[in-house]
Amino acid sequence: MKKVLFGFVVLFMSSQVSVAQTSPANSKNQYDNVGKIHNILLEEFQSKFAGKGLSVEQICLETEKIANNNPEFVALKDENYKPINVEMIKNASQDFKNNFQTVIKTSKLSAEGKLRAQELIDYIFAAGFNSQYTKYSDFYTYIVKFEDRIIANSKLTVEDKGAILSGTSTARYSIYFWDKKFGGSSQPAAKRGFWGSLLVGVCDVGGAVVGYFEGGVQTALQTASATSSLAGEVIDKK
């Protein structure tokens, strides 16, 4: 599976992004806390396991341990909670080249929800292939406007909005985290420019959306966090 993801990392090596936006938060999104906690879990995982070559199963297990020791995450847990579905992450990775179209089509999103989720994913992919130098603030602005449309969309179900807004929150925070850590105008694109932040962000969106339907916000959060760490491992072994 790592070879599948790694095979596409090189497609993004010609682009990079800088952090001009000082915060990834958006208070209008009621699921904004998903992205915030995602980055807390991710930071701890990176401090303990970055570069250690953990397997998918190990990444998921350690992410769950970190999450279940985090008070903010524990406060979100309810009867809907389910552990990370490892096979789901493995299967989704096979759909990367396809812009996660199969993942979205086979999800529990409504017809309208599938259209809007795919719109977001396609935008991030398209932006990644843009050879122009791109700032994080441009992506933040797009995602916030997209979130406004999702919130106002009466065709979307409550579950649609929960899944998609968990995904956009995670994308805002995740891309901010990775770009601040490895990107920026002072960093060489070959180290971890926009292509790296994009790869992780796209995977996080997919992870959050399908995770939400597995076990609510808490499973969406854990799944996105594990996906983020997995994508980071793949890139760092480039």
Side-chain angles (χ1 to χ4, degrees), residues 151-223:
I151 293 169
N153 191 331
S154 61
K155 295 181 181 179
L156 295 172
T157 67
V158 173
E159 289 76 17
D160 286 338
K161 291 185 178 182
I164 295 172
L165 291 174
S166 291
T168 55
S169 172
T170 303
R172 276 188 283 104
Y173 278 87
S174 178
I175 294 173
Y176 182 87
F177 173 89
W178 289 110
D179 181 62
K180 189 174 182 180
K181 188 176 182 66
F182 291 109
S185 58
S186 64
Q187 298 288 351
K191 179 178 181 181
R192 179 83 73 88
F194 171 69
W195 57 273
S197 300
L198 172 76
L199 174 62
V200 178
V202 168
C203 292
D204 284 359
V205 171
V209 170
V210 296
Y212 184 91
F213 285 105
E214 282 283 304
V217 170
Q218 56 272 31
T219 305
L221 203 164
Q222 277 193 333
T223 304

Side-chain angles (χ1 to χ4, degrees), residues 92 95 98-119 121-122 160 206 209-210 213:
D95 200 34
N98 194 38
N99 280 32
F100 295 125
Q101 290 185 36
T102 301
V103 169
I104 297 303
K105 286 180 180 178
T106 58
S107 72
K108 296 179 182 178
L109 288 163
S110 70
E112 176 69 12
K114 290 175 181 178
L115 287 174
R116 300 288 74 81
Q118 194 64 58
E119 176 188 348
I121 290 173
D122 288 346
D160 286 338
V209 170
V210 296
F213 285 105

Side-chain angles (χ1 to χ4, degrees), residues 27-144:
S27 61
K28 291 185 290 183
N29 182 345
Q30 68 181 94
Y31 297 91
D32 193 67
N33 208 36
V34 173
K36 174 187 174 185
I37 299 174
H38 166 278
N39 278 18
I40 293 173
L41 304 185
L42 183 58
E43 182 73 52
E44 183 172 347
F45 183 95
Q46 288 295 302
S47 68
K48 293 179 177 179
F49 303 109
K52 294 191 176 180
L54 272 60
S55 67
V56 180
E57 290 81 4
Q58 290 173 318
I59 288 174
C60 291
L61 178 62
E62 295 302 336
T63 297
E64 287 180 346
K65 289 180 181 178
I66 291 171
N68 287 314
N69 283 319
N70 180 279
E72 291 186 81
F73 175 82
V74 172
L76 294 175
K77 292 180 71 173
D78 58 26
E79 66 278 4
N80 296 317
Y81 169 75
K82 291 182 181 179
I84 300 169
N85 186 329
V86 179
E87 290 305 312
M88 181 178 67
I89 292 180
K90 289 182 177 180
N91 292 335
S93 72
Q94 305 301 312
D95 200 34
F96 184 87
K97 186 178 181 180
N98 194 38
N99 280 32
F100 295 125
Q101 290 185 36
T102 301
V103 169
I104 297 303
K105 286 180 180 178
T106 58
S107 72
K108 296 179 182 178
L109 288 163
S110 70
E112 176 69 12
K114 290 175 181 178
L115 287 174
R116 300 288 74 81
Q118 194 64 58
E119 176 188 348
L120 173 65
I121 290 173
D122 288 346
Y123 166 79
I124 300 176
F125 270 110
F129 287 109
N130 189 330
S131 61
Q132 299 296 314
Y133 184 86
T134 309
K135 296 180 180 179
Y136 172 80
S137 58
D138 295 333
F139 292 90
Y140 175 88
T141 298
Y142 172 85
I143 292 176
V144 169

